[in-house]
């Protein structure tokens, strides 16, 4: 996260590849299910042997034996509807919820986040020198309407996407954050409204950032977990 | 610090059955610590050619035969791994093949070999023993002939002839950087013996064979799992962690198995990406591949001729997750170029539907990835929640794509892939069909309540935020 500061996001998970390296973020939507970005994986049926999800820590490279760290192998991957840029990961076993690991709520189907809503992103990705790469960073962003967003992005923003306003200072997600949450505090609850997806440039000043709108795919998420 | 296992080639989850002798009659030794100890027992014994290692009971069973012995058969097994002495199962020779114990019995001139136990038609001085392995009429090298294994021939006019068995070094050549090399050389270019990939000593390493199945990190053979310029291995010399192997390149005419190259998007890990994007996802310009500043690196373009390391374009020469590059910023060594779009790998849609496709009654019966649909009336590989009787209105006929649950993403089906319960179909929305906008909905979906949440964990109250 560029222009963020260290923080705590108990539903944000770290995806680890076979060498144990962090390569993307994810959001814990159920004890055994993580929602992330399809961009993080080479294909919908790649072998997942050795891929893990790490939770319960603020450090990108927690020391072995760090209290609260949970490492769970990824058992299965289900790609989202075409154009969703989403992937659901089924974990080999449910995680343990505690002070450091919590679920984030899903929004109602087709819910549209009102412009001006205050949201936050979280991730262990690139800070471009603006922060501490070794810990989880977060940044606050305000939602803007797709109409306003399309003013800058020349109509390219789809209804299945949503935007946050481009701030004067460079603030936003970057490589290594993809798949992580855009969480908005609504009715006394943190709700997963967006998924961080690669934008053409990270945290470009005065340039709205685009996220996948989760509410458009909530029916798919429930269906996968049910089936 | 070589392991006794270095002399063996493993077949995981495999048992060797002997059709004439009940393998079970061979004694099991239950008091061994691990496969290495078992190898230590079998190695020195001339009549031990292989052994079973029981991964759960840590037992081992020494065997006087291999998969190439008569009346034997390999069998899948949940509890056993089969280790066979390399000299009996390798189909190429190391050095001059003195150790070769394979079953080739034809000379380079196509003449059948004479049995070593016979003195006719060609008399000779050799007496078969367990030690010299002069078995049957197999090619051997009892006199260390530099030409490799040979035999007396059954043709009186030709006393003996070489068998022309290839050296392991010549038996498999390198394409590109040898990522696909699956040969049997287990020595480095300095002659050091390779460490087994499934061992963590003398050198601990991240390349556990079970995590990298597609890399075939077999036994202690040279491989290139990390996109190095050529195959290498960890060595059994504690002073030398890893070293390249000396293997010949295939002729330039033998082109490597090329991923279909792409220009405007990347498929899979992007190893075939040949576009001209030259900034990282963070917008940082890439460093030229032929430059060593600000970052020194080993990816010299001339050493990776197949990888098209031109200028400062994003590439994936080492099998990473996506195209990447060294960045022009001293503080950031490498970064992915995730801003490059992934190529859509869906199959071409074969029909279209209106709305969400609840009324689609066409006969497309495959998913967007090309997997054939399961019949709605079938119960395998997936037990359906929707059947022709449970959802008569949806007309779930045959294995045609339908939308019995009004899925907003269109018609779908249960798939014949056991790993994928359901998927959307090779269909698209009809051109003249605009989905209702969610942005100006007739009624704003108000947020009544979110999902269940363990309140004591609410980060705000726990002051942990």
């Amino acid at each position: 996260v560029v222009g963020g500061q260290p923080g705590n996001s108990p539903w944000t998970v770290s995806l680890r590849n076979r060498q144990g390296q962090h390569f993307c973020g994810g959001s814990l939507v159920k004890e055994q299910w993580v929602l992330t970005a399809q961009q993080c994986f080479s294909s919908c049926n790649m072998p997942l042997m050795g891929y893990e999800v790490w939770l319960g820590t603020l450090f990108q490279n927690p020391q072995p034996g760090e209290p609260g760290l949970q490492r769970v192998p990824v058992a299965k991957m289900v790609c989202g509807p075409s154009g969703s840029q989403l992937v659901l990961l089924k974990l080999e076993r449910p995680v343990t919820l505690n002070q450091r690991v919590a679920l984030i709520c899903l929004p109602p189907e087709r819910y549209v986040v009102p412009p001006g809503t205050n949201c936050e992103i979280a991730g262990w990705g690139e800070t471009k020198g603006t922060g501490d790469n070794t810990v989880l960073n977060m940044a606050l962003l305000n939602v803007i309407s797709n109409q306003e967003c399309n003013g800058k992005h020349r109509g390219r923003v789809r209804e299945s996407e949503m935007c946050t306003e481009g701030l004067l200072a460079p603030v936003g997600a970057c490589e290594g954050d993809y798949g992580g949450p855009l969480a908005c505090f609504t009715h006394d609850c943190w709700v997963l409204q967006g998924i961080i997806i690669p934008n053409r440039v990270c945290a470009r000043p005065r340039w709205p950032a685009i996220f996948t709108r989760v509410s458009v795919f909530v029916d798919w998420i429930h269906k996968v977990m049910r089936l | 610090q070589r392991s006794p296992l270095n002399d063996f080639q493993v077949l995981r989850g495999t048992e060797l059955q002997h059709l004439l002798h009940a393998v079970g009659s061979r004694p099991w030794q239950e008091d061994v610590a691990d496969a290495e100890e078992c190898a230590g027992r079998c190695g020195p014994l001339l009549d031990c050619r292989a052994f079973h290692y029981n991964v759960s009971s840590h037992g081992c069973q020494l065997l006087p035969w291999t998969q190439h012995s008569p009346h034997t058969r390999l069998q899948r097994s949940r509890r056993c791994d089969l280790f066979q002495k390399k000299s009996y199962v390798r189909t190429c020779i190391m050095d001059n093949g003195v150790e070769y114990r394979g079953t080739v019995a034809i000379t380079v001139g196509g003449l059948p070999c004479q049995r070593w136990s016979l003195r006719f038609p060609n008399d000779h001085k050799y007496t078969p023993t367990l030690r010299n392995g002069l078995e049957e009429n197999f090619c051997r090298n009892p006199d260390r002939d530099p030409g490799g294994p040979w035999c007396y021939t059954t043709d009186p006019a030709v006393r003996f002839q070489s068998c022309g068995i290839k050296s392991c070094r010549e038996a498999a050549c390198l394409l590109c950087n040898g990522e696909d090399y699956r040969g049997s050389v287990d020595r480095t270019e300095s002659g050091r013996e390779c460490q087994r990939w499934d061992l963590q000593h003398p050198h601990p390493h991240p390349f556990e064979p079970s995590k990298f199945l597609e890399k075939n990190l077999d036994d202690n053979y040279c491989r290139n799992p990390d996109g190095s310029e050529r195959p290498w291995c960890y060595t059994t010399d504690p002073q030398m962690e890893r070293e390249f192997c000396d293997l010949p390149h295939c002729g330039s005419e033998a082109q490597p198995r090329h991923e279909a190259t792409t220009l405007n998007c990347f498929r899979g890990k992007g190893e075939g990406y040949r576009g001209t994007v030259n900034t990282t996802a963070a917008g940082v310009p890439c460093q030229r591949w032929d430059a060593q500043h600000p970052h020194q690196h080993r990816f010299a373009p001339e050493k990776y001729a197949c990888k098209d390391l031109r200028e400062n374009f994003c590439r994936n020469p080492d099998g990473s997750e996506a195209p990447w590059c060294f960045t022009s910023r001293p503080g950031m060594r490498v970064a992915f170029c995730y801003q490059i779009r992934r190529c859509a790998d869906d199959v071409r849609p074969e029909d279209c539907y209106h709305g969400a496709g609840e009324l689609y009654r066409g006969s497309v019966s495959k998913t967007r990835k090309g997997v054939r649909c399961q019949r709605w009336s079938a119960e395998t590989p997936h037990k359906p929640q929707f059947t022709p009787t449970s959802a008569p209105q949806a007309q779930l006929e045959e294995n045609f794509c339908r939308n019995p649950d009004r899925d907003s993403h269109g018609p779908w089906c249960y798939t014949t892939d056991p790993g994928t319960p359901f998927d959307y179909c090779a269909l698209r929305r009809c051109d003249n069909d605009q989905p209702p906008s969610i942005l100006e909905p007739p009624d704003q979906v108000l947020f009544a309540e979110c999902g269940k949440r363990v309140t004591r964990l609410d980060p705000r109250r726990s002051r942990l935020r």
Side-chain angles (χ1 to χ4, degrees), chain A residues 39 76 80 82 159 189 219, chain B residues 338 342 346 368 408 419 437 450:
Chain A
Q39 190 76 350
K76 222 173 132 56
S82 300
E159 291 207 352
C189 191
D219 59 342
Chain B
Y338 267 130
R342 275 188 186 286
D346 293 2
R368 56 186 169 155
S408 67
S437 166
C450 68

Side-chain angles (χ1 to χ4, degrees), chain A residues 39-194:
Chain A
Q39 190 76 350
C40 298
F41 294 94
S42 58
S43 79
C44 295
N45 44 27
M46 62 177 270
L48 292 164
M49 175 70 80
Y51 283 83
E52 292 182 335
V53 157
W54 290 14
L55 319 91
T57 178
L58 297 180
F59 296 101
Q60 174 169 156
N61 290 307
Q63 297 313 307
E66 179 185 308
L69 172 63
Q70 297 184 48
R71 297 176 43 167
V72 187
V74 176
K76 222 173 132 56
M77 169 202 298
V78 184
C79 275
S82 300
S84 68
Q85 307 180 75
L86 294 181
V87 161
L88 263 171
L89 302 178
K90 182 172 187 180
L91 308 182
E92 211 162 71
R93 61 179 181 276
V95 302
T96 304
L97 301 182
N98 54 37
Q99 295 284 38
R100 300 167 188 267
V101 176
L103 299 182
I104 187 165
C105 306
L106 289 169
E109 283 187 36
R110 305 161 63 77
Y111 175 72
V112 176
V113 185
T117 302
N118 219 329
C119 302
E120 67 181 29
I121 57 173
W124 284 274
E126 182 54 53
T127 61
K128 288 177 82 171
T130 63
D132 179 353
N133 257 43
T134 64
V135 294
L136 182 69
N137 282 294
M138 310 183 63
L140 290 181
L141 296 167
N142 290 318
V143 171
I144 60 173
S145 71
N146 279 38
Q147 186 180 0
E148 180 183 348
C149 191
N150 268 315
K152 278 274 188 172
H153 286 278
R154 292 199 291 275
R156 278 201 300 261
V157 181
R158 294 177 291 187
E159 291 207 352
S160 60
E161 295 169 330
M162 62 182 285
C163 297
T164 57
E165 91 181 289
L167 306 175
L168 269 180
V171 175
C174 200
E175 182 199 314
D177 296 320
Y178 304 140
L182 172 71
C184 307
F185 196 65
T186 310
H187 292 260
D188 196 29
C189 191
W190 287 95
V191 181
L192 182 64
Q193 299 290 7

Side-chain angles (χ1 to χ4, degrees), chain B residues 130-150:
Chain B
L130 270 180
R131 181 165 299 283
N132 63 26
L134 299 180
E135 198 175 341
E136 311 260 338
N137 64 337
F138 300 143
C139 303
R140 293 286 183 266
N141 195 357
D143 59 350
R144 298 182 174 279
D145 185 309
W150 53 275

Side-chain angles (χ1 to χ4, degrees), chain B residues 92-101 104 106-108 113 116 126 134 138-152 160-168:
Chain B
C92 55
I93 57 174
M94 293 297 283
D95 310 322
N96 55 13
V98 172
E99 300 297 323
Y100 176 75
R101 295 290 182 274
V104 170
I106 289 278
T107 69
V108 70
C113 293
W116 293 95
Y126 293 103
L134 299 180
F138 300 143
C139 303
R140 293 286 183 266
N141 195 357
D143 59 350
R144 298 182 174 279
D145 185 309
W150 53 275
C151 68
Y152 294 105
F160 63 85
Q161 202 172 53
S162 167
C163 296
I165 298 173
K166 280 192 172 181
S167 77
C168 294

